[in-house]
Amino acid sequence: MSVDPAVVRRIAHLSRIAVEENEVMRLNNEINAILTFVESLSGVDVSGVEPIASVLPMEMKKRPDIVTDGGIVDDILSNAPAREDNFFVVPKVIE
Amino acid sequence: MSDPTHLSLAAARDALVSKKLSAVELTQAHIKAMEAARVLNCYITETPELALQQAKKSDEKIAQGDHGPLEGLPLGIKDLYCTKGVRTTAASRILGQFTPTYESTVSANLLRDGAVMLGKLNLDEFAMGSSNETSAYGPVISPWRRQGDLAAKIVPGGSSGGSSAAVAARLCLGATATDTGGSIRQPAAFTGTVGIKPTYGRCSRWGIVAFASSLDQAGPITRNVQDAAIMLRSMAGHDPKDTTSVDASVPDYEKAIGLSVKGRKIGVPKEYRLDGMSPEISQFWEQGIAWLKSAGAEVVDISLPHTKYALATYYIIAPAEASSNLARYDGVRYGMREPARDISDMYEKTRAKGFGSEVRRRIMIGTYVLSAGYYDAYYVRAQKVRSLIKQDFDIAFASGVDAVLTPATPSTAFAQGEKGSNDPVEMYLNDVFTVTVNMAGLPAISVPGGCAANGLPLGLQLIGRPFEEETLFALANAIEQAAPKIDYPQTWWA
């Protein structure tokens, strides 16, 4: 399998990464080099093999469904690129 | 006392406790060394005032006889570990102004035990790289130089390149690192230092900037095996905030140093004898086998038949997890933001500008292999092959093998710009011996075994059973005792 410039643009958009037109061919070639490299996996017999879920036989831990943290609005907002009162500010979302 | 930066972590600890040296003196010597080595670019952020405050407190505690196991010992922290009140960048532009309001569990454990933090160490951006050349804060230069070629800037390995270079250049007594595909062991091998990636779950991942969560694990880089044992004991332990951290007591790893390895069964996997492996690396591997044999270990040939698929598997699974983990950098809650006309445009521009090219490429690969129509062919298949890779090790260990011995890297360190500029896969091949270990969640240590003809160090890797880090420390110490002593480079940079 390989990508073409249209697929590269689509992946870039799905990744929410702006790509300049002059970068598309370079990315196309780099991604295809990697896809060619991983192509070897299609030769492995994986019939009857379960996809790995965890490297260790570990039971999923559960904790009581109670609030253990909170009341730290200033901490949460301290690294915000834009804030107003206790809100994150973003560009207009709804017309 | 002569230059205290030349002490091992263990020797410095003993000197502090016996009051032959104060924590402030020890810290001042390291601050001086750190500041004089800026040309190596090991530290992204230096925290000398904080270090001296901590050292002063340590001296008080030692005076009161109430000191922790790492009291007053100056360490470097990889800039992937969130540190409260100290900028944490992950070597990315996107986190250039990010100051956590919390401390990662592992660094908190070190502070609990009395450690002093000198600063935040450089790395490949988001730990994605094998040479420290992808850092947004510039590459790290290794203190090592090739014989007869002093101009070439040698890479310290990656992603924990700031950690390995700083330890080798004596800019800290030890450093934290992280390993997703070899990022502790490969830089350790490139710099003649010791690096251990413990079993998945041994250290908490909480507060460490996530790359590929099913593979990431924290560990130390130090100048000898004993120091690594001391640091890992403090770093490891259960943490309710990371559900994959294991609720098991942490042994006193230092006690494994000097233990006999007589009768230990060492597996040598034939699949690691790559076509085109340099004779120097094969000879070095043979030498490692001979050292363990003369220490009384029994060496057997084993087979890990799916080894050749590990790197391909890795370059599906790691980018897939990264694309998901790095979705959080959206310019809204933290990190940089690029102004734009609407929110979607803002996301795209922020991420295009904030991430470097390697990170952008991996996010895109990950997005592709997880996208509808390709998920089964790439991601699910890779997770199945990963099961087979792990099974290979299960079978070897079930046959009675205590540890597996391999070279840590396929070559010595290269120079900046020598690899991967045309084909990213060329750089990825550096991790060919280390990546299987992350796939299987196993512990593995890289220990120096001497230098190659070009004057650069070489490392051997020992892979252990889950949670048997003690066996690795004992075996690595046996190699360390047998191998030629590593002479770290004289200070040419100051």
Side-chain angles (χ1 to χ4, degrees):
Chain A
M1 280 183 272
S2 63
V3 296
D4 59 31
V7 176
V8 171
R9 284 187 207 97
R10 191 173 65 87
I11 308 170
H13 179 63
L14 284 174
S15 308
R16 296 295 182 273
I17 294 174
V19 170
E20 303 287 338
E21 246 343 274
N22 61 17
E23 294 174 277
V24 172
M25 268 331 283
R26 184 180 50 82
L27 276 167
N28 186 82
N29 297 340
E30 287 172 357
I31 292 171
N32 279 333
I34 294 165
L35 292 178
T36 306
F37 175 62
V38 302
E39 199 54 46
S40 63
L41 295 191
S42 59
V44 187
D45 181 5
V46 291
S47 49
V49 179
E50 284 294 312
I52 204 161
S54 166
V55 287
L56 297 168
M58 206 190 264
E59 210 171 305
M60 179 66 87
K61 286 176 210 145
K62 297 181 188 75
R63 62 171 176 81
D65 186 14
I66 48 165
V67 177
T68 57
D69 203 353
I72 49 167
V73 172
D74 285 338
D75 276 8
I76 289 167
L77 288 167
S78 68
N79 282 288
R83 61 180 287 191
E84 214 175 290
D85 300 325
N86 283 350
F87 298 97
F88 296 108
V89 178
V90 296
K92 198 168 172 183
V93 178
I94 303 162
E95 288 302 324
Chain B
M1 184 172 286
S2 60
D3 190 346
T5 63
H6 287 244
L7 293 171
S8 68
L9 184 112
R13 172 192 64 185
D14 299 344
L16 291 185
V17 172
S18 61
K19 304 197 178 73
K20 291 192 184 97
L21 181 70
S22 76
V24 168
E25 286 167 329
L26 181 64
T27 301
Q28 272 166 342
H30 280 94
I31 291 171
K32 209 173 128 201
M34 171 173 79
E35 290 175 347
R38 288 191 183 132
V39 64
L40 301 181
N41 202 25
C42 294
Y43 285 87
I44 291 177
T45 306
E46 297 175 357
T47 56
E49 295 87 8
L50 176 68
L52 284 170
Q53 272 173 31
Q54 291 171 333
K56 234 179 121 193
K57 212 181 265 172
S58 288
D59 279 332
E60 288 163 17
K61 284 194 154 180
I62 291 167
Q64 292 158 3
D66 169 35
H67 51 269
L70 298 176
E71 199 67 60
L73 301 175
L75 305 177
I77 303 295
K78 186 178 183 178
D79 206 15
L80 204 62
Y81 290 65
C82 288
T83 42
K84 189 173 181 175
V86 176
R87 182 173 80 133
T88 300
T89 68
S92 180
R93 249 198 311 269
I94 213 160
L95 286 176
Q97 301 304 324
F98 177 63
T99 303
T101 54
Y102 48 85
E103 186 78 27
S104 84
T105 298
V106 168
S107 55
N109 289 347
L110 293 171
L111 295 173
R112 171 204 66 203
D113 285 355
V116 167
M117 179 175 88
L118 290 163
K120 304 297 293 289
L121 293 162
N122 207 340
L123 64 150
D124 280 296
E125 185 179 3
F126 283 106
M128 297 180 192
S130 306
S131 64
N132 215 117
E133 292 173 284
T134 73
S135 168
Y137 303 89
V140 173
I141 300 169
S142 173
W144 288 89
R145 294 190 288 183
R146 273 185 202 144
Q147 235 157 46
D149 178 16
L150 301 185
K153 290 176 176 168
I154 301 300
V155 305
S159 67
S160 308
S163 304
S164 65
V167 170
R170 297 171 292 258
L171 314 181
C172 53
L173 292 174
T176 66
T178 61
D179 192 315
T180 304
S183 282
I184 291 175
R185 292 158 288 153
Q186 184 256 19
F190 274 12
T191 56
T193 54
V194 174
I196 180 163
K197 181 202 91 73
T199 314
Y200 186 78
R202 186 76 277 190
C203 291
S204 169
R205 290 178 297 106
W206 192 86
I208 298 175
V209 175
F211 165 11
S213 306
S214 79
L215 304 165
D216 296 345
Q217 193 56 205
I221 292 181
T222 56
R223 287 191 292 270
N224 66 45
V225 178
Q226 182 183 13
D227 290 357
I230 294 169
M231 263 188 84
L232 183 61
R233 187 194 183 192
S234 286
M235 293 168 74
H238 178 238
D239 176 12
K241 287 188 286 207
D242 173 3
T243 52
T244 63
S245 93
V246 170
D247 196 356
S249 63
V250 179
D252 183 355
Y253 295 123
E254 202 179 352
K255 289 198 173 125
I257 305 302
L259 283 188
S260 166
V261 299
K262 210 171 154 75
R264 291 294 196 166
K265 209 164 163 186
I266 308 300
V268 174
K270 61 172 193 270
E271 291 79 7
Y272 279 61
R273 292 189 198 283
L274 305 177
D275 294 339
M277 184 188 245
S278 86
E280 194 169 35
I281 297 287
S282 342
Q283 269 167 29
F284 174 62
W285 193 7
E286 289 304 324
Q287 179 61 254
I289 293 170
W291 285 330
L292 286 180
K293 270 188 186 160
S294 52
E298 181 195 343
V299 175
V300 295
D301 287 326
I302 59 165
S303 175
L304 301 169
H306 295 90
T307 299
K308 62 174 182 248
Y309 301 114
L311 212 47
T313 309
Y314 177 81
Y315 276 98
I316 292 173
I317 293 171
E321 294 188 22
S323 73
S324 169
N325 272 328
L326 272 62
R328 71 188 69 174
Y329 304 104
D330 56 6
V332 174
R333 290 154 299 158
Y334 43 77
M336 63 165 266
R337 170 188 294 190
E338 195 62 6
R341 58 190 151 77
D342 59 41
I343 195 159
S344 183
D345 200 33
M346 188 275 280
Y347 293 149
E348 295 200 358
K349 286 195 168 128
T350 296
R351 290 162 63 80
K353 194 163 179 193
F355 293 136
S357 60
E358 180 67 30
V359 173
R360 291 200 301 269
R361 185 164 61 219
R362 293 206 200 184
I363 290 173
M364 289 179 64
I365 289 277
T367 302
Y368 180 67
V369 301
L370 290 176
S371 64
Y374 300 100
Y375 178 79
D376 286 325
Y378 286 113
Y379 186 71
V380 175
R381 175 168 280 268
Q383 290 286 55
K384 287 180 178 172
V385 178
R386 188 175 174 188
S387 293
L388 293 171
I389 292 166
K390 182 179 179 298
Q391 207 180 72
D392 286 351
F393 281 103
D394 292 344
I395 292 167
F397 289 132
S399 77
V401 165
D402 292 301
V404 176
L405 180 75
T406 78
T409 56
S411 71
T412 56
F414 41 92
Q416 281 177 18
E418 272 180 3
K419 276 194 183 168
S421 50
N422 293 316
D423 179 0
V425 174
E426 189 187 19
M427 184 67 84
Y428 297 172
L429 291 174
N430 254 288
D431 296 331
V432 64
F433 296 138
T434 48
V435 79
T436 48
V437 169
N438 302 75
M439 289 290 135
L442 300 170
I445 192 166
S446 172
V447 58
C451 288
N454 63 8
L456 298 178
L458 284 167
L460 287 162
Q461 173 178 242
L462 286 154
I463 306 167
R465 297 162 180 265
F467 300 105
E468 293 192 14
E469 283 83 2
E470 288 157 293
T471 306
L472 297 184
F473 284 125
L475 288 164
N477 181 239
I479 289 176
E480 188 176 51
Q481 295 304 319
K485 195 177 156 297
I486 290 285
D487 282 319
Y488 290 104
Q490 293 301 313
T491 310
W492 54 263
W493 52 87

